[in-house]
């Protein structure tokens, strides 16, 4: 599967952005999906994940209540709605797909994800 992320940009603290990641290739509903991010000079970290059937989600603690992951299997797309953005959210955001998880699993570990998109830059000015 190939992943194409989009929707990043430069915003001010408190603003919102919605990232999209569109997949091509195999049946999209066969993949658990995740969002990760990497800030300058930092390790890549988990942000959010959603199960194959969309029924389960998981979030990194700092984004809980501000970010929402969702998916539209008919459109082969996963979304990350980011509200109340903070300067600490500045990073390159990557979407990733896993074909090794069950239908209700929303995994946070990078080791579960085989396919990665190219990343989209999110910059939040304070």
């Amino acid at each position: 599967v190939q992943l194409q992320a989009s929707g990043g940009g430069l915003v001010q603290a408190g603003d919102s952005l919605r990232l999209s990641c569109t997949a091509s290739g195999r049946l999209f509903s066969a993949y658990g999906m995740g969002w990760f991010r990497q800030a300058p000079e930092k390790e890549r970290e988990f942000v959010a994940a959603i199960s194959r059937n969309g029924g389960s989600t998981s979030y990194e603690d700092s984004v809980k209540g501000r970010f929402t992951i969702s998916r539209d299997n008919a459109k082969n797309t996963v979304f990350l709605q980011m509200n109340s953005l903070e300067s600490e959210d500045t990073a390159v955001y990557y979407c990733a797909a896993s074909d090794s998880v069950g239908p209700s699993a929303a995994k946070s570990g990078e080791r579960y994800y085989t396919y990665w998109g190219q990343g989209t830059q999110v910059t939040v000015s304070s």
Side-chain angles (χ1 to χ4, degrees):
V1 64
Q2 294 181 324
L3 304 173
Q4 180 72 42
S6 62
L10 172 63
V11 297
Q12 294 186 336
D15 285 351
S16 298
L17 274 177
R18 188 174 82 154
L19 305 184
S20 300
C21 174
T22 301
S24 60
R26 281 185 56 195
L27 185 62
F28 183 63
S29 60
Y31 298 94
M33 299 298 296
W35 286 97
F36 294 78
R37 66 186 179 186
Q38 187 168 21
E41 300 182 357
K42 292 189 176 181
E43 297 287 322
R44 188 163 60 189
E45 66 175 1
F46 168 74
V47 176
I50 189 166
S51 61
R52 288 162 49 187
N53 61 15
S56 298
T57 58
S58 62
Y59 297 92
E60 193 270 331
D61 285 346
S62 70
V63 308
K64 285 181 181 177
R66 300 190 298 123
F67 290 12
T68 303
I69 188 171
S70 61
R71 65 189 297 160
D72 185 340
N73 285 348
K75 296 183 178 179
N76 290 1
T77 302
V78 61
F79 304 97
L80 185 67
Q81 178 67 44
M82 305 186 294
N83 298 330
S84 303
L85 282 161
E86 304 168 352
S87 57
E88 291 78 12
D89 296 317
T90 295
V92 177
Y93 283 71
Y94 299 90
C95 60
S98 170
D99 59 3
S100 62
V101 296
S104 299
K107 296 294 188 180
S108 62
E110 284 196 30
R111 65 186 183 278
Y112 294 102
Y113 296 90
T114 305
Y115 307 98
W116 293 81
Q118 87 288 1
T120 184
Q121 176 71 48
V122 172
T123 303
V124 184
S125 63
S126 57

